[in-house]
Structure formats: structure tokens, C-alpha cells
Amino acid sequence: MTITRIAAAMLGIGLLASPGMARAEEITIGFTAALSGDFAAFGLNMRKGLDLAVEALNKKGGNTYKIDAVDDRGEAREGVLIAQRFCSDKNVDVVMGYSFSSIALAAIPVFNECKLPVLASAVTSPALSNVSPYFRRNVLTDAVQGAMMGDYAAKTLGLKQIYVLNQQDDYGIGVAKAFSEAAEKDGATIVGTESYLLGSKDFRTLLTKVRAAKPDAIFIGGFYTEAAKIAEQARALGIKAQLLSTDGALNVELMKLGRGAVEGMIVYGMFDPAVATPATEGFLTAYKATFKEDPSAWAALGYDAGMALGAAVELAAKDGPVTRESLNTAFGKLKDVPGVTGPTTFDASGDRAGALYFLEVKDGTFGLAPKQP
Amino acid sequence: MDYLGQLLANGLVLGAIYALAAVAFTLVYGVVRLVNFAFGELFMLGAFLTASLMLPEVRLLGTIVPMPGFSLPVAAMGAITLTAALGVLVDRIAYRPLRNAPRLAPLITSIAVSVVLQSLAQTIWGAEELRFPEFYLATLPPVVLFDSIYLSVMDLVVMATALAAMLGLSAFIARSSLGRAMRASAEDQMAATLVGIPVNRVVAAAFAIGSGFAALAGLLYAQTYGFAHSSMGFLPGLKALTAAVLGGIGSIPGAALGGLILGLVEALGSGYLPNGTAWKDAISFVLLVGLLYLRPQGLLGKPELNSAGRGSLLGGASEFGAAWLRTSFAKVDGALARAAAGGPRAALALLALAILVGALVPSDYWLRILTMVVIYGMLASGLNVIVGFAGLLDLGFVAFWAVGSYLTSILFVLVLKDQFGVAPADIWWLLYLNLPLAGLLAAGFAVLLGTPTLRLRGDYLAIMTLGFGEIVRVVAINWMDLTNGPMGIRGIPAPNLFGIALGSPRAQFFFALALAVLVVFAIARLVRSYVGRAWVAIREDEEAAEAMGVPTARYKLYAYAASGFVGGFVGVFYAHSQQYISPLNFSLFENILLLMLVVLGGLGTFVGPFVGALIWIVFLQLALDLPFVQAYPETRFALLGVVLIVLMVFRPQGLAASARVALTMPGARPGARRVKEVA
Amino acid sequence: MRAPSPTPLLQARAITVRFGGLEAVGNLDMAIGRNAIHGLIGPNGAGKTTVLNVLTGFVRPTEGELVFDGAEIGGIGVNGFARRGLARTFQNIRLFGAMTVLESVLVGAHQRFSANALSLVFGRRAARDAEAAMIARAYELLAFVGLGAEVADRVATTLSYGHQRRVEIARALISSPKLLLLDEPLAGMNAVEKAEIADLVRQVRAQGIAVLLIEHDMQVVRRLCDHLTVLEYGRKLADGPPEEVLADPAVQAAYLGRAR
């Protein structure tokens, strides 16, 4: 099967399904993210969420969905190739996933060429706003989220002296900048800013520096892997400041890795496993049953992306066969698709409006923080 | 004072771990002159095995498996023993068949072994970090010195363990008969064989002890930072190697000293420099480069070890392999050799084939893949100038490539478009100007980097160039005003000629092909002249070359310059073809990848780099469609690693090894026909 | 006494070489005349190769100076020595592994090429002519050292031992040196080959190239050389015409003493 497909692709025969043919019944999702290598966890989580959504959609009957998963390994050179792979495979109707904004950015010119709609779930770079009429994401940009957290820290929590740490990539830099600006506007002082490379393990020196500045809070603009280590090493160095972090840290792994040290850390995210709505309830149960673990925010976003796709396909199918173009139009028309991260609507820039929950780690789980804005 | 004190304490803990892992590199290097990159992964396995043995149950391959739940010391002993056994196994499978092979072959297999182990670990233990279990001592309150220096009890245990292990090893080497045999083999393997020392057993012992040390370092590291993860070994492995080289590779006290210095410098550097943590990795490599410049053999190393290393870069073959396999490799090789011997006519035929393929392949996807093959083939050709022809193992080539890509991207996007509002389409010609310009800039850069490496040979040279490559990458990440940092530069215009956009996959393929013709032609013209002869002479016997009147230092720099020129030149096109670049594009792995392409295809040949690129890239794309790769994505690289090991073990001289390049100018010989001599 | 010759081609003055604490060569004075076949002999370990290494720049003398062709040389790097006209062969043959005979010989002509990178890449006529001229010269030299044109395209290291030595000599000669330094060129050869090489050395000298020769075979040395320097323990034991030197009881004692 596989070999035939490759041969067919090489020869360019067999796959040229004529555009007029109605083939709305099978939707192929091109899924790409870092699924192996150092940063595979986000991609694999998104994949699990999407798998669950696809399962639910297929169970519903009508249109069927399948996934063609391609690992980009977090390597930039793969971005263009994978995009072209999806573009050239006429069966692919939509592309989902993406762990890294940089790889999505590299892929977008190719998607523009072949007019293939993309619905990403974990890339938050503001550079992706307005980047293409075919690109959308169901996650808030780090500029928006960071600013909301900055307001929350300074106004709601009343923190005055904040030390900002960020991972040295587009995500960390973006979120830290937005956070700092918002917090300073609301009267807090940023007593220091330091960045670290993604994948760093040793933060003692960094934290020694932080300790000398005597902040009353530390904001960690990064992922849970580093946030857990920073928390643990900070406590070991006797730092008692309030720890704040981002949606990158909103992951059950945070508590597994950081254990007692992350108690009291406040993070934000679009998904709160503790908020019981009928939608989340069902998702939580199904997820736990399938994967024997709690879903992360990425899994929730992957699931919601799948659900948004389901809604868009239904919408598109109303006006004839589902094509890349009609699907893209349908995405633009979606209104308040219910999901576990709240309702999904895409604005013209391809971004999604939404609300943030501020969550606190308490007794090893995320719960709604006592103070909400 | 309390700040400095805490930094020193942090540095000591880190240094102790680096030192332990450095011992692994140094021990094996001393005995077999092999930089075993796989120690980083054995380090990681030490951590995973210890953590697994300590837990009551672990999720392996997605299912929960009951575990003994040992305490740390027992689990550690178990993990060290297992890792040591694995180290011996790796040596037996991947390195021993290559003892007399060209000297880059075992280096490549060691990288391949790394890739396999890392992918396997991810398959087994998953992509998430595994929390390292609590140990009684780790729950004790920290020791607070002078009211302000915090050290956990486990930090003290780490330091004490490291010290004890080092002293134990030194005593073992000095006193035991196996230790003495090891020392003798390290001094002179030939002599050791003659006096009846069982070299294979000594090597196995070195691997066992080295792997044990790597595992010990890994588990201490995991315990200190509280986790285990499949990729955790890469950077510490690199740092440990740096530490070993810093101290003088082959010297155990040197490894200890190197580790400590590195740990302290990293702690102090990141503590006192502004935004030091982000620059931390660059700091250690700057230290390495500076030290090697002043003292090529490292702090306590023996100057003799700074030599070209055993064996030829090219000659020699594997003593391994089934007959049918050898015959089939020989057939491939023979065909390629005949093609190469065909001279310009064969080259034209090959080009015609490429044009035909480019014109007929209907799939844009495959055109993109083929474009990638051509780009990587060109880059590998550039690397081949320095590694394959001049024989200088360069792990920093990726820096030249980055210079080219960044030059054109900065000019087009950050300067002209963002500062002056010039539309890229109006200045399409700038691309053609940038090609040679970036080539020259990168060549200048290459000479700048090459100069301090002139006194270094073999593996030392490799490590120093690796340092340069990493420095450039860290600069690209952190110098945001220049490079836009990790956000990268987007909106780089696709190639364009007189207003005709060449952005389509097919146009890009032909663009790449045209550049490849230029690159290969220019390289061939240089190699097939007195310049190429000087390079090959340097590769084969630097002293003899010098005695023949070749100013070897200058010609090494020429090789760097030529190689850098190609890197910069191709980098420009790469940026325009990708339309987006970020520091992620220029990682150390890319450089290792290029090196693998060259070795896989055949060092010192013109077709080798392209053959290597074709196999690698097409394999990776085809593997994507395998059903179990879809289910377990990380097995794709494991598979690739296995293929590499098999290729190297059976065919260490590369697929196109006999496509030997003539080193005289075509047309300058009076009708003499080449008679091939297959060595 | 012979008539004082014009200034010698190469003069070594008070050369001392120490490796660590060990003195390999002590206070050696030596002069190699123009157009001489100069033998350097001595028991094993006497420092002969070290002297040759000093004379070709491989070893920097701890003390002393070298004057070649009227100018002091030193600190010019090994390739500088070669460029001034000192060409050598090696005791254990050092041909370039992956090169053909022709290519190996052409490496010896390195200093005779001057085309820059651009004219190479664009294949300028001058560059091609220079290459063609050197290739022709290489064929001449291969014939001169007694090798047929048919070996030109064989990988040099696959030749027989004797042929490899000849390739090394051709590789040294193509730079048109003023002094050819041969480190045991006859080692491992049979009588016929030895006679051929000895003859070759005479022909080299006939072309106006002086030769310095390290050799153990006293028969050949006696017949071939017109001047001998004898070393023992790194010091000069005797110096002069072969008959005189070889008759010297001290020299005989040194050889006999070692022979025990």
C-alpha cells in the first residue's frame, strides 16, 4: 500500500482525484509536529487529543476522518518538505498540529501556494497573526496571554518586585515581553530579566542571581520541563518568592517533575481540568480511559481543533463537496464551536478569541487560583 | 561573597559530574583513539535504568511494568553494571569490526549508535521526562554554609562519589594488571600486541569502565536535576568531551581537572555576565577554543596525541561482512567508479539525467525532496573539500552556511525591507550579488576560524571546530539585534530572475541544479590542479607534503576558505528557497548530518556527497510512510541509525569510495588514458 | 690538501640538537660542497637522520646555524627549505597514500606552480600550459629514475618497494633542487638494484645537483661518495675523502665496537 502510494506519487498517477468528484465523506488530516526528539512531548499530547476527537467524530457517523502523521522532529529543514508533502497529496484536506512557530512559519509559503488550510494548536508566536488566509490556530498568542498574566500578577495579586525568566525562543521572548510590559504598566517593577536555552537543566546559577535581587515573584516564561526544575532548584536555594508561569507549564507533568516545589505556582491556560462542564467531563473521562493519564492543555487544544474541524466540515458539506477551499471558507465562518477550552471562533487574523483561566498548583493538582481577575 | 560562594558551590557539583563523564571519553580515547559520541547516550541510560530500578513500577513501551523499587545505591550499582555491559556490546557490534577501517568510520558509527540509543530510549520510556525518584538523603534539609550558600546533602554525596570513583580508577590503573595493560595499550597498541597483551580484552575493559563512568555521571546528573529524558545525554556528553579535551584527552587527572574547570567557568560565567545563562554554552566553547589555541594538547595531555590519529582517512576496509553484501557494494562502487572515470562525459550524462528527472517528476513533493538532496549535496561537497580532500575533520562547517543564509536574509528583510521599505521584488538582482558576496564573507570567516586551528590535528581539530560551530549558533540565537534571534527571519523572497518568480518547486530544483553545476565545477577545477594535489598530500602525510615545498598551513587555510565559500554561497540559496530561517536550521546535528553524508557517499569524491544526500533524505521521507513509523515516530531515526551502522560496518570507506578523483588538470595530459588501480 | 673549493653549498655550523635532556647531535660542523656526493655514515643511533632532519628543517637545532647557497636559513618552515632548493626522501618511504605515481611526483613540483584560484576555476590557458609542462617533466623524470610511463597512473603505494624509492627520488627531483638528501635509499635492495640507484645518484650529480646520502653499505659508500662525514653518538668522528675516513682507526673501532 505504502509503496504503491509512493510510486504513484512519483509517477503522478492514481492520486489525481478529479476536483469535481464528491469525496466529502473521507477527510484526511495531515498532522505534523515534533513527535520524536527532544521536544516530542507537546506534539504527542496534541496527537492524543486529536486522535480522541477523530474517534468521536467517526463514531458520530457521516464523514469519516483519518490522520496522516508526519514527524518534523523539531527540525526547521523539515518544515517546507512536510508542507509540500501535504500539498502534493490531494487526499489531504487540512493540516493540523505544529509544535514550533518557526517550523509553521517556514511552511506557510508552501501552504499559500496550494491553498491548503492549516489549523494549528500549539504555536503562539504573534508573527503568525495575519500571516496567511489559510492559517488559523485555536490557541491565544503569547502576546495576548502574557499581557493578561502581567495584569493579573500586578493588579490582582499585587506583586511588586518581579524577576522575569524566559526561555530563549520566540515563545519565551514573546510572552516575557508582553508580561513585563503589562506588569510594569500596572505598577510592578521588573527587577531583572534573564533568559535560558530551551532544554537547560541547571538553573542554580541563574537562581543565585535571582536570589540576590530579592524579588517577591518570579515569572517563568517557558515550558513545564524547565519550570519544574526552576521551581525545585529555587526552593533548594532557599528562594521563597511566588512562582508564576505560563500555559507552557500547564501540564500534569509539572507536578510529577516538580513535586512539592511547584506547590503554589500560578499558571494560566485555556483549559482547566478542574472546571467541570459537560464537554470537559466527557473529554476527561474518555482521555483517561484511552491513555491512562490526565490530559494536558495541548491535548485539550488538539481535541478542540479536531472538533472545530468537524464543525467546519459539516458547514462546508452543506454547500457541495468539501474541498480545501470550501473548508478554508468554513473555518472562517465558524462561530462558537463548543470545546473543552471554551468556544472557538476565528477572527480575520487567524487567531482565536478566548478567555484565560488562572490556575494554582494545590496538593499536586491544578485548581482555579483563589484570586481571579 | 555569598554570591560568589554559591556560584562556586554550583560549579563544583556540575564540574564533578562533567569530570566523571569526561573520564569515559578519555579512557576509551586513550586506548582506541576513538571519540565515542555514544557516551552521551550511555549517560542517559544510566539515569533511566537507575530511575526505573528505584521505582515500584514504570511505564515501558506504554505498559506498566512492575519494578523492584531498590534504593538509590543498589539501583545505581545495577544500572552501572547494565550500562557497562551495553557499552561492551556496542563496542563489539559497532566499533570492533572497524578497528582497521578508515578513521572516520568508527566516529560515524558512534554517532549512529547515539541516534539509535536515543530513539530506543524514547520508544521505551516515552517522550515525557521521567521524574527521578526520591531517595532518603535527598529529602534532608539543605546544608547552609555561611548563612547563604545552599548545598543539598545529595550535592555533597555527588562530589564525594565523584572523588571516590576517580581515586578508585586511578588506583586500578596504577595497580591492577588489567590497568597496566590498559596503560600499555594506550602508549603503543602495536607494542602491546607484540608483548602479548590481549588488546581486544583491554579495549572491552576500557569500554566497560568508561560506560560505567558515563552511567554514574548520568545517574548523578539525573538525581541532581530530578529527571531522566531520552535527549538528556547530548549536551552533557558534549560538555564532558570538551572537558576531556580541555584537560588533555587520554589523561584521567586531566579529565577531572577539565570537568572541574568547565563546571566552574560555566557557573561563574553565567553568574557574572549579563544574561549569562543564555550564553553559557558559548562560554565553555570559547574557553575550549582559547585553550586549545594556546595549548593544543590540553592542560595535562601528551603532545603526541595531537596527531593525525591512526590509519588513513580513506584507505582500509572492514574485516566484516557477508560475501554477497560485499559483492553488491562492490558493484555499486564499480558503477560509480566507472561513471567517475568517464570524466566530463559521465558528468554530463549525470546532469542530463538530473534535468530529465527534474522535468518529468510530476510531484511537487518529490521535487522539493530532490531540491533538498541537491542543496545538501552541495553543502556536503563544500564540507568534502576540507574533510575529504584536505583531511581536516571540521565539525563547524554549519557556521559558514549560517553566514550565507543570514547575510542575504538580513540584507533583504531586516535592512532593505524593514528599514528602507524596499520591496524584495524590486531588488531581485541582489540575490545574485549575494551569492558570491556571501561566499567571500564566509570564506573570510573560515580563514579567521581556521587560523587558530592550524596547530591542531585529527580529533582535537574536530572538537575545536565543533566549538566554533556552537559559538556561532549561540550568537545567532542571542544577538537579537542582528539576527532577530530565535524568532528567525521570515519573508525572505523566493528566487527571482528579471521579474520572473522562480518560487515553484520545479523552478527551485533547476535553480539548485544550476548552482550545483557551478559548485561542483569550481571544486573540481580546484581539486584537479596543484591546489588539490597539495590538499590530498596534506591529508595523506602532512610532513611529507611540507617537505615537498607545500606551505601546508596556507593550503589548509585555502581549504577552509574554499569550503567556507561553498557554505556561504549555498547558504544564500538555502535561505531564499526556505523563505524562513532561524538558528534551528544551523544546529550541530546538521553538521554531523553533512559529515555523515560525505562519509556515507565516499570522502574525497565528487559524487559521494550527492550519493550520500540522496540516500539519507530519500530514506527519511520513505520511512515516513511505514506503518510502524506512523505509530512510533521515534523509530524512524532508530532505523536510520541502524542503516548507517550496517553501511559503515560493511562499507566503511563509503559507497562511492572507488570513484577516485584524478588530481591532474583534464586536457593537460598528452593523450594518456587513465588505468585504474583499485587498491 | 685539495684546492680550497668555492664556498660550500651548505654549511652547518656548531649544530646541537637536544631532545629534552638528551643530546642527539652535538656541536656538529659540516660542509657540503657544490656538486658533491656527500656521505653521512655512522652506527645506528648516531644521529644521522636527525642531522638530515635539521638540514631539511624538520628539526630545529637547539644551537647553531645553517648557511645554504650563501644565505642563512632558519625559521622558514620545512616548506621554506624545500623552496630554497633542498629536497629529500625518507628512510621509511612516505609516498602519498591515495595518489597515483604521476600525482605524487607532481606534488614535488608544487612550488613551480603559481596560477591563482580564479584562473584555475576558469581554466585559463596559462594555468593549463603550466600543468602540461610539469606533467611532461614528470614523465621525463620517471624515465630518468628508471620507471616506465605505464606506472604513472598506478597508485604509488601499490608499487614494489624499489619502485617506490624511485618515485620518491623523482618527486624530490622535480622541484629542481640544488641539494638532494637521500635517507638510506639502498635499504632493502639487492645488488643489482643498488648498482642502479648508485648510477642514478651519479647522474643526478651530473646534472649539477649535489647529493647528501645516508647509507650503511660501505662498499657503495666507498665507490659512490666523494666526501664522508662520520657520526658517533651525535658527534662528528671523522670528515674527509672516503679512503681516508674509512681507514681511520677511530671509525673502524666505532663500527666494530657497535658490531659486537
Side-chain angles (χ1 to χ4, degrees):
Chain A
M1 169 62 206
T2 307
I3 303 298
T4 349
R5 227 178 87 201
I6 294 155
M10 283 291 275
L11 299 169
I13 50 166
L15 295 177
L16 301 172
S18 63
M21 244 161 67
R23 52 183 182 85
E25 273 59 47
E26 183 167 273
I27 303 295
T28 303
I29 302 165
F31 177 82
T32 179
L35 300 174
S36 71
D38 300 10
F39 311 112
F42 306 107
L44 291 172
N45 277 323
M46 261 192 292
R47 167 93 196 255
K48 285 176 183 168
L50 183 62
D51 277 345
L52 212 58
V54 164
E55 204 185 297
L57 289 171
N58 283 336
K59 220 180 273 171
K60 227 167 75 180
N63 304 313
T64 56
Y65 297 81
K66 65 175 195 134
I67 300 177
D68 176 19
V70 179
D71 174 22
D72 67 26
R73 224 182 143 73
E75 282 169 12
R77 114 182 81 80
E78 298 279 349
V80 168
L81 274 186
I82 293 169
Q84 190 68 57
R85 177 191 164 95
F86 291 145
C87 276
S88 295
D89 185 346
K90 298 293 177 215
N91 287 326
V92 172
D93 304 284
V94 61
V95 172
M96 303 178 91
Y98 283 111
S99 305
F100 289 91
S101 296
S102 53
I103 295 176
L105 281 167
I108 280 166
V110 181
F111 290 129
N112 276 341
E113 281 292 314
C114 68
K115 305 188 169 26
L116 181 58
V118 180
L119 174 51
S121 300
V123 286
T124 56
S125 165
L128 283 164
S129 295
N130 277 319
V131 78
S132 154
Y134 296 96
F135 181 85
R136 290 178 184 80
R137 52 182 156 180
N138 68 346
V139 60
L140 297 182
T141 73
D142 44 32
V144 173
Q145 303 193 65
M148 288 162 100
M149 184 62 168
D151 279 340
Y152 175 77
K155 264 198 207 141
T156 313
L157 297 179
L159 296 165
K160 290 283 169 257
Q161 309 271 311
I162 306 175
Y163 207 109
V164 175
L165 304 178
N166 69 280
Q167 88 192 12
Q168 186 76 325
D169 67 2
D170 46 357
Y171 173 73
I173 293 168
V175 81
K177 189 159 157 271
F179 173 88
S180 304
E181 281 168 8
E184 277 186 321
K185 206 172 81 219
D186 293 333
T189 313
I190 304 300
V191 292
T193 301
E194 290 275 330
S195 39
Y196 56 85
L197 297 180
L198 185 55
S200 299
K201 317 295 179 203
D202 179 37
F203 298 95
R204 293 163 179 247
T205 300
L206 184 62
L207 289 165
T208 306
K209 217 182 230 181
V210 172
R211 191 175 67 184
K214 301 191 171 49
D216 49 35
I218 301 171
F219 174 74
I220 305 164
F223 295 154
Y224 63 91
T225 42
E226 285 76 23
K229 292 182 191 79
I230 290 173
E232 194 166 34
Q233 291 171 37
R235 299 304 184 222
L237 285 170
I239 298 176
K240 305 214 162 47
Q242 168 71 47
L243 297 177
L244 309 169
S245 191
T246 65
D247 58 337
L250 176 55
N251 191 314
V252 286
E253 293 290 325
L254 178 75
M255 281 76 79
K256 285 196 208 153
L257 291 172
R259 276 189 296 223
V262 297
E263 276 297 300
M265 183 189 279
I266 295 179
V267 303
Y268 58 80
M270 302 177 64
F271 172 65
D272 174 13
V275 175
T277 65
T280 44
E281 207 58 54
F283 170 65
L284 274 174
T285 324
Y287 195 94
K288 274 188 181 158
T290 314
F291 303 110
K292 317 265 181 304
E293 62 186 25
D294 286 326
S296 69
W298 308 111
L301 286 166
Y303 179 82
D304 278 3
M307 288 309 177
L309 172 67
V313 168
E314 274 175 24
L315 199 61
K318 280 180 192 157
D319 314 323
V322 178
T323 62
R324 290 177 177 179
E325 197 62 62
S326 73
L327 199 55
N328 189 51
T329 317
F331 273 129
K333 289 192 204 147
L334 288 184
K335 191 118 185 71
D336 293 335
V337 180
V340 294
T341 62
T344 300
T345 307
F346 299 108
D347 61 27
S349 63
D351 292 327
R352 169 192 179 188
L356 280 192
Y357 297 103
F358 293 94
L359 308 165
E360 189 186 37
V361 179
K362 198 154 189 294
D363 303 326
T365 53
F366 289 112
L368 221 48
K371 290 182 186 168
Q372 290 291 328
Chain B
M1 176 59 217
D2 57 341
Y3 186 57
L4 177 65
Q6 184 71 52
L7 291 182
L8 290 175
N10 299 347
L12 279 176
V13 176
L14 198 58
I17 292 170
Y18 285 160
L20 280 176
V23 166
F25 283 102
T26 238
L27 201 62
V28 164
Y29 191 88
V31 177
V32 270
R33 304 280 185 277
L34 164 70
V35 175
N36 178 19
F37 277 100
F39 277 135
E41 274 55 46
L42 294 168
F43 174 99
M44 171 267 293
L45 286 175
F48 264 124
L49 291 171
T50 310
S52 301
L53 291 173
M54 286 172 75
L55 287 166
E57 53 177 34
V58 188
R59 180 187 288 240
L60 299 178
L61 295 167
T63 49
I64 304 285
V65 176
M67 278 289 163
F70 292 141
S71 73
L72 179 62
V74 182
M77 291 312 287
I80 289 170
T81 315
L82 284 172
T83 313
L86 188 68
V88 174
L89 188 72
V90 165
D91 170 50
R92 186 71 195 78
I93 294 171
Y95 307 144
R96 205 198 281 179
L98 296 172
R99 288 276 194 270
N100 297 315
R103 69 185 136 89
L104 278 184
L107 192 75
I108 300 296
T109 49
S110 88
I111 294 166
V113 168
S114 288
V115 171
V116 172
L117 290 179
Q118 194 175 326
S119 307
L120 281 182
Q122 198 179 93
T123 313
I124 295 173
W125 280 282
E128 294 280 5
E129 292 187 351
L130 178 69
R131 169 71 214 192
F132 199 84
E134 290 284 2
F135 174 58
Y136 159 68
L137 286 176
T139 58
L140 296 178
V143 182
V144 183
L145 303 172
F146 311 111
D147 270 351
S148 58
I149 302 172
Y150 284 65
L151 275 173
S152 74
V153 176
M154 279 313 290
D155 288 344
L156 300 173
V157 173
V158 167
M159 289 193 256
T161 313
L163 190 66
M166 296 279 192
L167 291 177
L169 180 67
S170 303
F172 171 79
I173 299 257
R175 303 273 163 75
S176 78
S177 64
L178 190 59
R180 280 197 299 273
M182 236 173 216
R183 229 175 19 192
S185 303
E187 296 283 338
D188 187 342
Q189 204 162 74
M190 184 75 94
T193 319
L194 289 179
V195 299
I197 291 174
V199 172
N200 272 339
R201 197 169 340 141
V202 170
V203 172
F207 267 96
I209 298 173
S211 309
F213 266 77
L216 178 62
L219 73 93
L220 293 177
Y221 185 82
Q223 136 67 41
T224 304
Y225 300 115
F227 78 104
H229 186 244
S230 57
S231 69
M232 69 182 283
F234 178 73
L235 206 57
L238 216 56
K239 293 286 173 61
L241 177 58
T242 306
V245 173
L246 208 59
I249 197 161
S251 154
I252 289 168
L257 187 64
L260 281 184
I261 290 178
L262 202 61
L264 287 173
V265 166
E266 270 189 14
L268 294 176
S270 45
Y272 281 108
L273 292 176
N275 207 5
T277 307
W279 290 93
K280 183 168 71 176
D281 297 336
I283 296 169
S284 30
F285 288 116
V286 166
L287 174 75
L288 175 81
V289 166
L291 184 105
L292 283 184
Y293 181 55
L294 297 173
R295 198 176 157 78
Q297 71 270 38
L299 289 171
L300 303 180
K302 287 175 287 186
E304 310 86 88
L305 281 179
N306 176 26
S307 69
R310 288 178 315 126
S312 152
L313 195 66
L314 299 181
S318 171
E319 303 142 4
F320 211 74
W324 66 270
L325 246 177
R326 277 198 213 182
T327 346
S328 38
F329 278 128
K331 272 188 196 143
V332 174
D333 188 27
L336 289 166
R338 269 195 302 284
R345 221 169 331 128
L348 284 178
L350 217 63
L351 181 64
L353 181 70
I355 291 175
L356 203 66
V357 168
L360 294 183
V361 167
S363 153
D364 280 349
Y365 175 46
W366 280 95
L367 280 168
R368 292 259 188 207
I369 292 175
L370 292 174
T371 308
M372 207 51 109
V373 168
V374 176
I375 290 178
Y376 274 77
M378 280 193 276
L379 289 167
S381 299
L383 182 63
N384 194 23
V385 170
I386 189 125
V387 182
F389 290 110
L392 304 167
L393 183 50
D394 182 0
L395 291 177
F397 176 79
V398 74
F400 311 144
W401 173 16
V403 165
S405 286
Y406 270 109
L407 173 79
T408 197
S409 312
I410 290 170
L411 277 182
F412 263 103
V413 180
L414 298 188
V415 177
L416 290 171
K417 185 161 138 259
D418 292 357
Q419 302 287 318
F420 296 97
V422 183
D426 297 340
I427 41 163
W428 58 269
W429 46 265
L430 185 59
L431 160 63
Y432 303 89
L433 198 65
N434 279 346
L435 284 168
L437 207 64
L440 288 177
L441 185 69
F445 200 66
V447 170
L448 212 65
L449 298 192
T451 308
T453 67
L454 289 176
R455 289 166 53 190
L456 298 178
R457 308 262 171 93
D459 300 313
Y460 283 77
L461 175 76
I463 304 301
M464 188 159 174
T465 53
L466 182 153
F468 276 133
E470 283 297 278
I471 291 170
V472 167
R473 193 177 60 87
V474 175
V475 168
I477 292 177
N478 286 312
W479 191 356
M480 293 207 232
D481 295 335
L482 183 72
T483 64
N484 210 21
M487 278 74 80
I489 301 176
R490 73 189 173 91
I492 307 162
N496 185 317
L497 188 61
F498 295 108
I500 305 159
L502 303 175
S504 79
R506 199 175 306 277
Q508 289 208 17
F509 173 77
F510 283 110
F511 201 109
L513 199 62
L515 293 184
V517 169
L518 287 181
V519 164
V520 174
F521 180 77
I523 292 177
R525 276 284 171 86
L526 280 183
V527 165
R528 300 192 65 177
S529 78
Y530 73 99
V531 178
R533 291 193 293 267
W535 285 339
V536 176
I538 291 170
R539 177 186 86 198
E540 293 296 323
D541 188 338
E542 189 174 332
E543 275 191 344
E546 181 82 14
M548 295 304 122
V550 177
T552 53
R554 200 188 318 153
Y555 274 79
K556 285 184 187 175
L557 290 183
Y558 288 167
Y560 273 107
S563 170
F565 188 95
V566 174
F569 184 86
V570 180
V572 171
F573 173 68
Y574 181 77
H576 288 275
S577 145
Q578 292 275 304
Q579 303 190 16
Y580 171 82
I581 58 161
S582 75
L584 211 57
N585 291 86
F586 311 105
S587 64
L588 174 62
F589 185 76
E590 291 295 305
N591 205 80
I592 291 175
L593 169 60
L594 289 175
L595 186 65
M596 286 203 241
L597 301 186
V598 185
V599 177
L600 200 64
L603 280 162
T605 63
F606 294 140
V607 285
F610 291 91
V611 172
L614 191 71
I615 291 176
W616 173 282
I617 292 175
V618 171
F619 174 87
L620 276 184
Q621 296 304 322
L622 290 185
L624 278 176
D625 285 317
L626 299 176
F628 72 89
V629 168
Q630 286 263 324
Y632 300 99
E634 61 281 358
T635 52
R636 184 165 63 127
F637 269 71
L639 210 61
L640 180 74
V642 171
V643 168
L644 254 175
I645 293 172
V646 170
L647 275 177
M648 276 295 110
V649 166
F650 289 108
R651 186 80 190 161
Q653 63 274 58
L655 287 173
S658 303
R660 204 192 143 270
V661 168
L663 300 172
T664 49
M665 222 178 258
R669 295 184 58 184
R673 250 187 66 97
R674 296 189 58 77
V675 184
K676 287 229 55 73
E677 181 69 32
V678 179
Chain C
M1 287 296 281
R2 288 173 299 161
S5 58
T7 54
L9 178 62
L10 176 72
Q11 256 185 309
R13 293 187 189 133
I15 298 289
T16 298
V17 179
R18 288 190 205 95
F19 296 123
L22 204 77
E23 190 183 84
V25 177
N27 199 26
L28 175 73
D29 283 301
M30 200 174 140
I32 300 172
R34 290 173 196 273
N35 213 18
I37 297 180
H38 192 124
L40 183 60
I41 63 171
N44 283 327
K48 301 185 295 289
T49 296
T50 307
V51 170
L52 195 139
N53 281 341
V54 168
L55 299 185
T56 49
F58 270 64
V59 169
R60 227 177 176 161
T62 323
E63 286 160 33
E65 61 170 14
L66 295 173
V67 176
F68 182 70
D69 208 13
E72 199 192 325
I73 51 175
I76 54 175
V78 176
N79 76 78
F81 280 74
R83 284 162 180 272
R84 296 285 173 94
L86 294 120
R88 71 173 292 178
T89 66
F90 296 90
Q91 185 179 349
N92 32 10
I93 302 170
R94 289 171 83 166
L95 286 171
F96 302 113
M99 284 187 175
T100 65
V101 168
L102 176 65
E103 291 160 4
S104 295
V105 172
L106 286 173
V107 172
H110 183 84
Q111 49 183 293
R112 314 273 302 270
F113 290 97
S114 59
N116 64 29
L118 282 180
S119 52
L120 289 176
V121 169
F122 293 112
R124 288 269 170 71
R125 173 129 221 127
R128 188 121 37 99
D129 289 348
E131 178 98 348
M134 271 310 136
I135 289 176
R137 175 84 184 123
Y139 274 105
E140 274 171 40
L141 280 169
L142 284 177
F144 177 71
V145 298
L147 295 171
E150 72 279 358
V151 301
D153 287 321
R154 290 188 54 184
V155 171
T157 45
T158 61
L159 297 182
S160 75
Y161 190 69
H163 282 187
Q164 290 195 33
R165 287 227 175 269
R166 289 168 199 258
V167 175
E168 259 205 333
I169 294 172
R171 182 177 73 174
L173 285 175
I174 198 170
S175 63
S176 301
K178 292 177 182 142
L179 174 61
L180 177 66
L181 302 98
L182 303 173
D183 198 346
E184 300 195 21
L186 306 181
M189 289 189 169
N190 63 31
V192 180
E193 285 176 318
K194 280 185 180 177
E196 282 173 9
I197 297 286
D199 198 43
L200 183 61
V201 169
R202 282 194 201 92
Q203 287 178 45
V204 168
R205 193 252 301 268
Q207 296 190 350
I209 299 168
V211 178
L212 176 76
L213 179 78
I214 295 180
E215 192 41 63
H216 282 296
D217 187 327
M218 286 308 128
Q219 299 300 323
V220 178
V221 166
R222 191 190 298 273
R223 266 177 302 179
L224 187 59
C225 298
D226 39 36
H227 197 98
L228 284 185
T229 300
V230 188
L231 288 183
E232 191 192 24
Y233 301 120
R235 296 201 167 245
K236 188 159 78 177
L237 190 64
D239 191 73
E243 291 74 22
E244 227 171 81
V245 167
L246 293 176
D248 189 328
V251 172
Q252 289 180 344
Y255 269 87
L256 290 174
R258 298 291 286 212
R260 261 204 316 259

